[in-house]
Amino acid sequence: MFVDCIHEQPLFVHLCAYCVGFEEQGIRVLGYCCQLVGGILVEQCPTRSEVGTRLLVMSTQLSHCRTILRLFDDLSMFVYTKQYGLGAQEEDAFVRWVSVLGNLADQLYYPCEHVAWAADARVLHVDSSRWWTLSTALWALSLLLGVARSLWMLLKLRQRLRSPTAPFTSPLPRGKRRAMEAQMQSEALSLLSNLADLANAVHWLPRGVLWAGRFPPWLVGLMGTISSILSMYQAAQAGGQAEATTP
């Protein structure tokens, strides 16, 4: 969500998201690793199924921990959404509107998840399953928009890098070319991360929607681990770049 986009943001957002979000990403990768290893042990190693079951329980508890931590993310997401606005700083109209829609989906995701959590905790007397489905659908929509954005950016950057130099014009400076190549790498990592998360998001939708409910625990853990490691790598890169540009 918010932390997944920090590589695109100004310096102060880099630093804040890097400090605040890295801990959540650590909990995320630990939870998914527990689910991956636990799922494999339960399915493939009957003699170690008890250990696998305990790891799956730990994964569930870590997931609950992240849900509670996200109770405090609404404000940071709102600040980011307000700062981005209608994306007037974006040169590409497709990127601008896809980003605006993605921000809207992210902003709506949080209160829906909060209601679902409150219903499970019996704070609110409503059907939690409907709110979990709605929050998961919003997450899937945000990821799908992120995939579309990354694919579009990769296409445009590749075209710019491979476009023949017009007569009487100088080729791209080496520094600018390297910056574009670095951006392509970042977009490729975002694409892979979003696709892995999207696979899990669809799995958690109601049965009958594509492959919903068909993933074994180890596969959910694998997709989540891949996404988490990629996100942590990008967050570390963004934090390093922010610190490097700090006077």
Short mmCIF file of all heavy atoms in Angstrom, two decimals, residues 143-190:
data_model
loop_
_atom_site.label_atom_id
_atom_site.label_comp_id
_atom_site.label_asym_id
_atom_site.label_seq_id
_atom_site.Cartn_x
_atom_site.Cartn_y
_atom_site.Cartn_z
N LEU A 143 -3.77 -3.26 -6.64
CA LEU A 143 -2.66 -4.02 -7.22
C LEU A 143 -2.77 -4.09 -8.74
O LEU A 143 -1.78 -3.97 -9.45
CB LEU A 143 -2.63 -5.42 -6.62
CG LEU A 143 -2.28 -5.51 -5.13
CD1 LEU A 143 -2.58 -6.91 -4.60
CD2 LEU A 143 -0.82 -5.15 -4.91
N LEU A 144 -3.99 -4.30 -9.23
CA LEU A 144 -4.19 -4.38 -10.67
C LEU A 144 -3.84 -3.05 -11.34
O LEU A 144 -3.20 -3.03 -12.42
CB LEU A 144 -5.64 -4.76 -10.96
CG LEU A 144 -5.99 -5.14 -12.41
CD1 LEU A 144 -5.17 -6.34 -12.86
CD2 LEU A 144 -7.48 -5.44 -12.53
N LEU A 145 -4.22 -1.96 -10.71
CA LEU A 145 -3.86 -0.64 -11.23
C LEU A 145 -2.35 -0.43 -11.18
O LEU A 145 -1.76 0.16 -12.09
CB LEU A 145 -4.57 0.45 -10.44
CG LEU A 145 -6.09 0.53 -10.62
CD1 LEU A 145 -6.72 1.44 -9.58
CD2 LEU A 145 -6.44 1.01 -12.03
N GLY A 146 -1.71 -0.93 -10.12
CA GLY A 146 -0.26 -0.84 -10.03
C GLY A 146 0.43 -1.64 -11.11
O GLY A 146 1.45 -1.20 -11.67
N VAL A 147 -0.11 -2.81 -11.42
CA VAL A 147 0.44 -3.63 -12.52
C VAL A 147 0.31 -2.89 -13.85
O VAL A 147 1.27 -2.83 -14.64
CB VAL A 147 -0.30 -4.98 -12.59
CG1 VAL A 147 0.03 -5.71 -13.90
CG2 VAL A 147 0.09 -5.86 -11.40
N ALA A 148 -0.87 -2.29 -14.09
CA ALA A 148 -1.07 -1.54 -15.34
C ALA A 148 -0.12 -0.36 -15.43
O ALA A 148 0.47 -0.09 -16.50
CB ALA A 148 -2.52 -1.06 -15.42
N ARG A 149 0.08 0.33 -14.32
CA ARG A 149 0.99 1.48 -14.31
C ARG A 149 2.42 1.06 -14.62
O ARG A 149 3.10 1.68 -15.43
CB ARG A 149 0.93 2.18 -12.96
CG ARG A 149 1.80 3.42 -12.86
CD ARG A 149 1.98 3.89 -11.44
NE ARG A 149 2.79 5.10 -11.39
CZ ARG A 149 4.11 5.12 -11.50
NH1 ARG A 149 4.78 3.99 -11.67
NH2 ARG A 149 4.77 6.27 -11.47
N SER A 150 2.87 -0.01 -13.96
CA SER A 150 4.25 -0.47 -14.16
C SER A 150 4.47 -0.95 -15.60
O SER A 150 5.52 -0.66 -16.20
CB SER A 150 4.58 -1.59 -13.17
OG SER A 150 4.62 -1.10 -11.85
N LEU A 151 3.51 -1.68 -16.14
CA LEU A 151 3.64 -2.14 -17.52
C LEU A 151 3.72 -0.96 -18.49
O LEU A 151 4.54 -0.96 -19.43
CB LEU A 151 2.45 -3.04 -17.89
CG LEU A 151 2.47 -4.46 -17.32
CD1 LEU A 151 1.15 -5.16 -17.62
CD2 LEU A 151 3.63 -5.27 -17.91
N TRP A 152 2.88 0.04 -18.26
CA TRP A 152 2.88 1.23 -19.11
C TRP A 152 4.21 1.98 -19.01
O TRP A 152 4.79 2.39 -20.03
CB TRP A 152 1.73 2.14 -18.72
CG TRP A 152 1.63 3.40 -19.55
CD1 TRP A 152 2.06 4.64 -19.22
CD2 TRP A 152 1.06 3.51 -20.86
NE1 TRP A 152 1.79 5.53 -20.22
CE2 TRP A 152 1.18 4.87 -21.25
CE3 TRP A 152 0.45 2.62 -21.74
CZ2 TRP A 152 0.72 5.34 -22.48
CZ3 TRP A 152 -0.01 3.09 -22.96
CH2 TRP A 152 0.13 4.42 -23.32
N MET A 153 4.70 2.15 -17.80
CA MET A 153 5.98 2.84 -17.59
C MET A 153 7.13 2.08 -18.23
O MET A 153 8.02 2.69 -18.87
CB MET A 153 6.23 3.04 -16.10
CG MET A 153 5.35 4.07 -15.44
SD MET A 153 5.61 5.74 -16.11
CE MET A 153 7.32 6.02 -15.69
N LEU A 154 7.14 0.77 -18.10
CA LEU A 154 8.19 -0.04 -18.72
C LEU A 154 8.16 0.11 -20.23
O LEU A 154 9.21 0.22 -20.89
CB LEU A 154 8.04 -1.51 -18.33
CG LEU A 154 8.48 -1.87 -16.90
CD1 LEU A 154 8.05 -3.30 -16.57
CD2 LEU A 154 9.99 -1.74 -16.76
N LEU A 155 6.96 0.11 -20.80
CA LEU A 155 6.82 0.26 -22.25
C LEU A 155 7.33 1.62 -22.71
O LEU A 155 8.10 1.72 -23.68
CB LEU A 155 5.36 0.08 -22.64
CG LEU A 155 5.02 0.26 -24.13
CD1 LEU A 155 5.75 -0.78 -24.98
CD2 LEU A 155 3.52 0.16 -24.35
N LYS A 156 6.94 2.68 -22.00
CA LYS A 156 7.35 4.03 -22.40
C LYS A 156 8.86 4.22 -22.23
O LYS A 156 9.52 4.82 -23.09
CB LYS A 156 6.59 5.07 -21.57
CG LYS A 156 5.08 5.00 -21.69
CD LYS A 156 4.59 5.28 -23.10
CE LYS A 156 4.70 6.75 -23.45
NZ LYS A 156 4.11 7.05 -24.76
N LEU A 157 9.41 3.73 -21.13
CA LEU A 157 10.85 3.87 -20.90
C LEU A 157 11.65 3.08 -21.93
O LEU A 157 12.69 3.54 -22.42
CB LEU A 157 11.21 3.40 -19.49
CG LEU A 157 10.75 4.31 -18.35
CD1 LEU A 157 10.89 3.60 -17.00
CD2 LEU A 157 11.55 5.62 -18.35
N ARG A 158 11.17 1.90 -22.26
CA ARG A 158 11.86 1.09 -23.26
C ARG A 158 11.84 1.77 -24.63
O ARG A 158 12.83 1.76 -25.35
CB ARG A 158 11.20 -0.28 -23.35
CG ARG A 158 11.90 -1.27 -24.26
CD ARG A 158 11.20 -2.60 -24.26
NE ARG A 158 11.88 -3.56 -25.12
CZ ARG A 158 11.43 -4.78 -25.35
NH1 ARG A 158 10.32 -5.20 -24.77
NH2 ARG A 158 12.09 -5.58 -26.16
N GLN A 159 10.71 2.38 -24.96
CA GLN A 159 10.61 3.10 -26.23
C GLN A 159 11.58 4.27 -26.27
O GLN A 159 12.24 4.52 -27.28
CB GLN A 159 9.18 3.59 -26.45
CG GLN A 159 8.18 2.49 -26.80
CD GLN A 159 6.77 3.02 -26.93
OE1 GLN A 159 6.47 4.15 -26.51
NE2 GLN A 159 5.88 2.22 -27.50
N ARG A 160 11.69 5.00 -25.14
CA ARG A 160 12.59 6.15 -25.10
C ARG A 160 14.05 5.73 -25.21
O ARG A 160 14.86 6.40 -25.85
CB ARG A 160 12.36 6.93 -23.82
CG ARG A 160 11.03 7.67 -23.77
CD ARG A 160 10.89 8.47 -22.50
NE ARG A 160 11.90 9.53 -22.40
CZ ARG A 160 12.05 10.32 -21.34
NH1 ARG A 160 11.28 10.14 -20.28
NH2 ARG A 160 12.99 11.25 -21.33
N LEU A 161 14.39 4.62 -24.58
CA LEU A 161 15.77 4.15 -24.63
C LEU A 161 16.15 3.60 -26.00
O LEU A 161 17.30 3.70 -26.43
CB LEU A 161 15.99 3.06 -23.57
CG LEU A 161 16.12 3.55 -22.13
CD1 LEU A 161 16.18 2.37 -21.17
CD2 LEU A 161 17.38 4.41 -21.96
N ARG A 162 15.17 3.02 -26.70
CA ARG A 162 15.47 2.38 -27.99
C ARG A 162 15.14 3.25 -29.19
O ARG A 162 15.42 2.87 -30.32
CB ARG A 162 14.68 1.07 -28.11
CG ARG A 162 15.13 0.00 -27.13
CD ARG A 162 14.52 -1.32 -27.45
NE ARG A 162 15.06 -2.38 -26.60
CZ ARG A 162 14.78 -3.67 -26.77
NH1 ARG A 162 13.96 -4.05 -27.75
NH2 ARG A 162 15.31 -4.59 -25.96
N SER A 163 14.54 4.42 -28.95
CA SER A 163 14.17 5.27 -30.08
C SER A 163 15.42 5.80 -30.77
O SER A 163 16.38 6.22 -30.10
CB SER A 163 13.31 6.44 -29.61
OG SER A 163 14.02 7.21 -28.66
N PRO A 164 15.46 5.77 -32.11
CA PRO A 164 16.63 6.27 -32.83
C PRO A 164 16.80 7.77 -32.63
O PRO A 164 15.82 8.51 -32.51
CB PRO A 164 16.32 5.92 -34.29
CG PRO A 164 14.84 5.82 -34.35
CD PRO A 164 14.41 5.27 -33.01
N THR A 165 18.03 8.20 -32.56
CA THR A 165 18.31 9.62 -32.39
C THR A 165 18.01 10.38 -33.66
O THR A 165 18.45 10.01 -34.75
CB THR A 165 19.79 9.82 -32.02
OG1 THR A 165 20.09 9.04 -30.87
CG2 THR A 165 20.06 11.28 -31.73
N ALA A 166 17.23 11.46 -33.54
CA ALA A 166 16.88 12.26 -34.71
C ALA A 166 18.11 13.02 -35.22
O ALA A 166 19.03 13.30 -34.44
CB ALA A 166 15.76 13.23 -34.35
N PRO A 167 18.13 13.36 -36.53
CA PRO A 167 19.25 14.13 -37.07
C PRO A 167 19.43 15.46 -36.33
O PRO A 167 18.45 16.09 -35.92
CB PRO A 167 18.85 14.35 -38.53
CG PRO A 167 17.88 13.27 -38.82
CD PRO A 167 17.14 13.01 -37.55
N PHE A 168 20.67 15.84 -36.17
CA PHE A 168 21.04 17.12 -35.54
C PHE A 168 20.65 17.18 -34.06
O PHE A 168 20.53 18.27 -33.49
CB PHE A 168 20.40 18.30 -36.29
CG PHE A 168 20.66 18.28 -37.76
CD1 PHE A 168 19.64 17.98 -38.65
CD2 PHE A 168 21.94 18.51 -38.27
CE1 PHE A 168 19.88 17.95 -40.01
CE2 PHE A 168 22.18 18.46 -39.63
CZ PHE A 168 21.16 18.19 -40.52
N THR A 169 20.38 16.04 -33.44
CA THR A 169 20.10 16.02 -32.00
C THR A 169 21.12 15.11 -31.32
O THR A 169 21.56 14.12 -31.89
CB THR A 169 18.68 15.51 -31.70
OG1 THR A 169 18.54 14.18 -32.21
CG2 THR A 169 17.63 16.41 -32.33
N SER A 170 21.46 15.44 -30.10
CA SER A 170 22.45 14.66 -29.36
C SER A 170 21.78 13.47 -28.70
O SER A 170 20.60 13.53 -28.32
CB SER A 170 23.12 15.54 -28.31
OG SER A 170 22.15 16.05 -27.42
N PRO A 171 22.49 12.35 -28.54
CA PRO A 171 21.92 11.20 -27.85
C PRO A 171 21.70 11.50 -26.37
O PRO A 171 22.17 12.51 -25.85
CB PRO A 171 22.99 10.12 -28.04
CG PRO A 171 24.25 10.87 -28.26
CD PRO A 171 23.86 12.13 -28.99
N LEU A 172 20.97 10.61 -25.71
CA LEU A 172 20.71 10.80 -24.28
C LEU A 172 22.03 10.84 -23.50
O LEU A 172 22.91 10.01 -23.74
CB LEU A 172 19.84 9.65 -23.75
CG LEU A 172 18.36 9.67 -24.10
CD1 LEU A 172 17.70 8.38 -23.64
CD2 LEU A 172 17.67 10.86 -23.45
N PRO A 173 22.18 11.78 -22.58
CA PRO A 173 23.38 11.79 -21.73
C PRO A 173 23.47 10.49 -20.93
O PRO A 173 22.45 9.87 -20.61
CB PRO A 173 23.14 12.98 -20.80
CG PRO A 173 22.14 13.82 -21.50
CD PRO A 173 21.27 12.90 -22.29
N ARG A 174 24.71 10.10 -20.62
CA ARG A 174 24.92 8.83 -19.93
C ARG A 174 24.20 8.82 -18.58
O ARG A 174 23.61 7.81 -18.19
CB ARG A 174 26.41 8.60 -19.74
CG ARG A 174 26.74 7.27 -19.05
CD ARG A 174 28.24 7.05 -18.98
NE ARG A 174 28.82 7.00 -20.32
CZ ARG A 174 30.13 6.81 -20.53
NH1 ARG A 174 30.96 6.70 -19.50
NH2 ARG A 174 30.60 6.77 -21.76
N GLY A 175 24.23 9.94 -17.86
CA GLY A 175 23.58 10.00 -16.57
C GLY A 175 22.07 9.80 -16.66
O GLY A 175 21.48 9.08 -15.86
N LYS A 176 21.46 10.43 -17.66
CA LYS A 176 20.02 10.30 -17.84
C LYS A 176 19.65 8.88 -18.26
O LYS A 176 18.64 8.33 -17.81
CB LYS A 176 19.53 11.30 -18.89
CG LYS A 176 18.02 11.35 -19.01
CD LYS A 176 17.57 12.48 -19.93
CE LYS A 176 16.06 12.56 -19.99
NZ LYS A 176 15.59 13.66 -20.87
N ARG A 177 20.49 8.27 -19.10
CA ARG A 177 20.23 6.89 -19.52
C ARG A 177 20.29 5.94 -18.32
O ARG A 177 19.45 5.05 -18.18
CB ARG A 177 21.25 6.47 -20.59
CG ARG A 177 21.15 5.01 -21.04
CD ARG A 177 22.08 4.72 -22.18
NE ARG A 177 21.61 5.35 -23.40
CZ ARG A 177 20.73 4.77 -24.23
NH1 ARG A 177 20.24 3.57 -23.94
NH2 ARG A 177 20.34 5.38 -25.32
N ARG A 178 21.30 6.16 -17.47
CA ARG A 178 21.40 5.31 -16.28
C ARG A 178 20.21 5.50 -15.36
O ARG A 178 19.72 4.53 -14.76
CB ARG A 178 22.70 5.63 -15.54
CG ARG A 178 23.96 5.10 -16.23
CD ARG A 178 25.20 5.44 -15.43
NE ARG A 178 26.41 4.92 -16.05
CZ ARG A 178 27.63 5.15 -15.61
NH1 ARG A 178 27.81 5.92 -14.52
NH2 ARG A 178 28.69 4.64 -16.23
N ALA A 179 19.74 6.74 -15.24
CA ALA A 179 18.57 7.00 -14.40
C ALA A 179 17.33 6.30 -14.95
O ALA A 179 16.53 5.74 -14.18
CB ALA A 179 18.33 8.51 -14.30
N MET A 180 17.17 6.31 -16.27
CA MET A 180 16.04 5.64 -16.88
C MET A 180 16.14 4.12 -16.72
O MET A 180 15.13 3.44 -16.48
CB MET A 180 15.95 6.01 -18.36
CG MET A 180 15.56 7.47 -18.60
SD MET A 180 15.64 7.95 -20.35
CE MET A 180 14.37 6.90 -21.04
N GLU A 181 17.35 3.59 -16.83
CA GLU A 181 17.53 2.16 -16.63
C GLU A 181 17.23 1.76 -15.19
O GLU A 181 16.64 0.70 -14.93
CB GLU A 181 18.95 1.76 -17.02
CG GLU A 181 19.22 1.83 -18.52
CD GLU A 181 20.68 1.62 -18.86
OE1 GLU A 181 21.51 1.62 -17.93
OE2 GLU A 181 21.00 1.44 -20.06
N ALA A 182 17.64 2.62 -14.24
CA ALA A 182 17.33 2.36 -12.83
C ALA A 182 15.82 2.40 -12.58
O ALA A 182 15.28 1.60 -11.81
CB ALA A 182 18.04 3.37 -11.94
N GLN A 183 15.15 3.34 -13.25
CA GLN A 183 13.70 3.43 -13.11
C GLN A 183 13.02 2.20 -13.69
O GLN A 183 12.04 1.69 -13.14
CB GLN A 183 13.16 4.69 -13.78
CG GLN A 183 11.68 4.93 -13.51
CD GLN A 183 11.17 6.20 -14.17
OE1 GLN A 183 11.93 6.95 -14.80
NE2 GLN A 183 9.88 6.45 -14.02
N MET A 184 13.55 1.70 -14.81
CA MET A 184 13.00 0.48 -15.40
C MET A 184 13.15 -0.70 -14.44
O MET A 184 12.22 -1.51 -14.30
CB MET A 184 13.69 0.17 -16.73
CG MET A 184 13.28 1.05 -17.88
SD MET A 184 13.99 0.49 -19.46
CE MET A 184 13.12 -1.08 -19.69
N GLN A 185 14.30 -0.79 -13.79
CA GLN A 185 14.51 -1.87 -12.83
C GLN A 185 13.51 -1.75 -11.67
O GLN A 185 12.94 -2.75 -11.23
CB GLN A 185 15.93 -1.83 -12.29
CG GLN A 185 16.22 -2.92 -11.26
CD GLN A 185 17.59 -2.79 -10.64
OE1 GLN A 185 18.30 -1.81 -10.86
NE2 GLN A 185 17.99 -3.76 -9.83
N SER A 186 13.31 -0.52 -11.19
CA SER A 186 12.37 -0.31 -10.10
C SER A 186 10.95 -0.67 -10.50
O SER A 186 10.22 -1.31 -9.73
CB SER A 186 12.43 1.16 -9.65
OG SER A 186 11.49 1.41 -8.64
N GLU A 187 10.55 -0.30 -11.71
CA GLU A 187 9.20 -0.63 -12.19
C GLU A 187 9.04 -2.13 -12.37
O GLU A 187 7.98 -2.69 -12.10
CB GLU A 187 8.92 0.09 -13.51
CG GLU A 187 8.82 1.61 -13.40
CD GLU A 187 7.62 2.07 -12.59
OE1 GLU A 187 6.72 1.24 -12.31
OE2 GLU A 187 7.58 3.25 -12.22
N ALA A 188 10.11 -2.80 -12.83
CA ALA A 188 10.04 -4.26 -13.00
C ALA A 188 9.87 -4.95 -11.65
O ALA A 188 9.08 -5.90 -11.52
CB ALA A 188 11.30 -4.76 -13.70
N LEU A 189 10.57 -4.48 -10.62
CA LEU A 189 10.43 -5.04 -9.28
C LEU A 189 9.02 -4.79 -8.73
O LEU A 189 8.43 -5.67 -8.10
CB LEU A 189 11.48 -4.45 -8.35
CG LEU A 189 12.93 -4.84 -8.63
CD1 LEU A 189 13.88 -4.10 -7.69
CD2 LEU A 189 13.14 -6.34 -8.51
N SER A 190 8.51 -3.57 -8.96
CA SER A 190 7.14 -3.27 -8.52
C SER A 190 6.13 -4.16 -9.22
O SER A 190 5.16 -4.63 -8.60
CB SER A 190 6.81 -1.80 -8.81
OG SER A 190 7.61 -0.93 -8.04
#
